Amino acid sequence: MAKYRPIYIQIWKDPDFQELSPTDKLLFIYLCTNSSTSESGIYPITAKTIADETSLDKETVAKRLHNGLFKNIRYDEENKVVFIKKFRKYNTGGQPALIRKSITQDCFCTPLSPLWAEFIAEYPEYEIDIKTVVKGFNNGCLTEQYPYVNLNNNVKSYKITSPNDIVTKGASKDTPSPFIKDITKIFSELKTRRGHSSRQNGAEAKAIKNMLKEGFDTNAILRAYDLIKTRPFFVDKNLSMMQVRNDIHEVLKNGKTGQSTTREERAKVLKDSIGKPLR
């Protein structure tokens, strides 16, 4: 994730910007420069986070988001995702290959948002990349309100017809998938903690799915991640969800991080914990 976000000096002479109130000017600049911003300009953020970091009143922020801030900023209230339409125009640095990869990862982390249809309309040059995650385009636009989602090779494809109607490919339309929303939520939370999108989407998605299948809920999985992250070894190193899956029984059973155990000890803990997931 970039540590610097440019603000062009001409913004103060822009007629639309000049008409904004001091509160809206602060919100606009914040949404373009905060630590959650992504290369695509689409990223998850809540009114509470904005209020906490800007010292603005939460109700005021929520009202601004609900009413639509500015013509170049869109907010998806259902999925708590914002889209800065001109973000790529003013953030053109970086290696093109890495930018494309980052944008694809952004889409993977927020696949349910219809804002990706607007992204394609704004940046048609990224259509091929977005198609690795979102399928079903028709002349450059999504054919449905919600896209087709493919969570890499390790997770099945899902057809989304509404936010609450997610079904596996080839299954009955009435058969809900129990994992897609939880996987998406965990990836969103991990991006906030790490400051960047996952660099091992497929492997991490598979590890998360396996933990969910064992009965762990999203809060338990994230709590295990936070506990393991406090270990001296992981303080300044990447912690993958594969490692969390290996240690989750031990960590949540003990309620503390402790030190790494031997493979045999971990195997015993896992065996004893199967069928007794923490809720």
Side-chain angles (χ1 to χ4, degrees):
M1 184 186 72
K3 294 183 179 180
Y4 300 95
R5 296 299 186 188
I7 290 290
Y8 282 69
I9 59 176
Q10 289 300 314
I11 190 174
W12 300 104
K13 292 181 172 55
D14 182 273
D16 293 326
F17 190 79
Q18 289 178 334
E19 294 298 319
L20 299 177
S21 68
T23 294
D24 287 346
K25 286 179 180 178
L26 172 60
L27 282 174
F28 183 90
I29 293 175
Y30 169 81
L31 290 172
C32 292
T33 60
N34 72 82
S35 61
S36 295
T37 55
S38 65
E39 297 304 328
S40 64
I42 295 181
Y43 59 90
I45 196 165
T46 65
K48 184 179 187 304
T49 297
I50 297 173
D52 289 344
E53 296 193 346
T54 60
S55 297
L56 294 173
D57 182 78
K58 180 181 175 181
E59 285 68 28
T60 298
V61 173
K63 182 178 179 180
R64 293 292 199 283
L65 293 176
H66 176 75
N67 292 337
L69 288 170
F70 325 100
K71 67 179 184 181
N72 289 325
I73 293 181
R74 299 274 288 110
Y75 189 68
D76 172 11
E77 292 190 63
E78 178 72 24
N79 297 294
K80 302 294 186 293
V81 176
V82 71
F83 176 29
I84 315 300
K85 284 192 172 183
K86 304 299 181 181
F87 196 83
R88 289 298 323 141
K89 179 179 179 181
Y90 296 108
N91 290 267
T92 56
Q95 298 181 29
L98 294 179
I99 295 298
R100 287 184 177 276
K101 180 178 179 181
S102 181
I103 288 174
T104 301
Q105 291 176 334
D106 292 342
C107 185
F108 178 84
C109 292
T110 57
L112 301 185
S113 178
L115 291 177
W116 285 104
E118 298 188 33
F119 179 87
I120 290 296
E122 192 73 28
Y123 304 103
E125 66 269 29
Y126 290 102
E127 179 177 347
I128 294 177
D129 306 277
I130 297 302
K131 278 185 175 180
T132 63
V133 180
V134 181
K135 297 180 180 180
F137 288 90
N138 181 15
N139 297 324
C141 297
L142 291 176
T143 57
E144 298 180 8
Q145 181 182 5
Y146 293 89
Y148 289 84
V149 179
N150 187 319
L151 302 181
N152 286 342
N153 295 327
N154 292 306
V155 183
K156 293 181 179 179
S157 297
Y158 298 92
K159 179 180 179 182
I160 302 170
T161 55
S162 73
N164 298 316
D165 181 16
I166 304 175
V167 298
T168 57
K169 184 177 181 181
S172 166
K173 289 187 177 182
D174 297 323
T175 306
S177 165
F179 303 123
I180 180 65
K181 285 189 175 181
D182 288 337
I183 292 174
T184 301
K185 178 182 177 181
I186 290 173
F187 268 109
S188 176
E189 292 290 336
L190 289 176
K191 182 176 181 180
T192 299
R193 287 163 166 77
R194 295 167 172 172
H196 59 78
S197 300
S198 170
R199 296 186 174 94
Q200 298 175 288
N201 287 340
E204 291 207 301
K206 183 177 181 180
I208 294 170
K209 181 180 178 182
N210 287 334
M211 286 186 281
L212 292 169
K213 288 174 68 175
E214 287 190 61
F216 293 102
D217 60 23
T218 57
N219 291 331
I221 294 171
L222 291 168
R223 181 152 55 93
Y225 176 91
D226 291 338
L227 286 169
I228 299 172
K229 188 65 177 173
T230 63
R231 291 177 176 171
F233 179 81
F234 287 114
V235 169
D236 59 352
K237 296 181 179 65
N238 179 63
L239 171 61
S240 73
M241 296 310 291
M242 292 76 83
Q243 179 68 48
V244 173
R245 187 199 173 197
N246 288 341
D247 291 355
I248 188 169
H249 291 277
E250 172 194 353
V251 170
L252 295 183
K253 181 178 180 180
N254 294 338
K256 58 183 180 180
T257 59
Q259 299 298 321
S260 295
T261 59
T262 65
R263 180 180 299 178
E264 291 74 18
E265 289 173 327
R266 282 204 304 270
K268 184 179 185 302
V269 172
L270 290 172
K271 180 178 180 181
D272 294 342
S273 300
I274 291 175
K276 301 176 182 178
L278 179 66
R279 290 289 185 178

